[in-house]
Amino acid sequence: MHSPFTLDTDGLILAVRLTPRASRTGLDGVRTEADGRPILSLRVAAPPVEGAANAALIAFVARSLGLRKVEVTLLSGETSRTKRLHLSGDPQGLATRVRAWLAGELTRAER
């Protein structure tokens, strides 16, 4: 399985497909887009109104990976379901955390 992220000099870029107004916020795993690229499928309970879904997405990703909200930035896709997030920090360390999160291996203590 390919990764839904690419390493950057000061962190990593995470490709996300967001479903707003879900019954609960959560991780649905990695899916493959029509063009063959892997993308992380997430859902949030917040509606896509006045940036609420994007704020919920940033808070969820930050909390899940043990980051501060300021370390998660929306690069593109403000009004689209397909988004690109930049996670600030050590690229290798972040990649390890994301892989563990996707595998369901991050415990509350590690977050």
Side-chain angles (χ1 to χ4, degrees), residues 7-106:
L7 299 181
D8 195 26
T9 55
D10 60 346
L12 61 81
I13 309 288
L14 185 62
V16 174
R17 173 147 177 95
L18 183 66
T19 302
R21 276 199 184 105
S23 59
R24 64 182 180 83
T25 298
L27 168 65
D28 289 331
V30 178
R31 300 208 169 136
T32 303
E33 290 285 88
D35 63 5
R37 289 182 300 161
I39 194 163
L40 183 61
S41 181
L42 297 173
R43 57 187 137 75
V44 295
V49 179
E50 297 177 3
N54 289 336
L57 168 65
I58 288 169
F60 175 65
V61 170
R63 185 176 64 248
S64 297
L65 296 172
L67 300 172
R68 294 174 298 146
K69 285 191 264 188
V70 303
E71 295 173 311
V72 181
T73 310
L74 182 63
L75 291 179
S76 65
E78 188 171 329
T79 59
S80 169
R81 285 182 181 245
T82 304
K83 303 178 183 297
R84 290 176 62 231
L85 299 175
H86 181 266
L87 310 182
S88 297
D90 170 56
Q92 294 300 330
L94 287 169
T96 300
R97 281 181 180 224
V98 171
R99 285 188 195 104
W101 183 37
L102 295 177
E105 296 169 1
L106 274 185

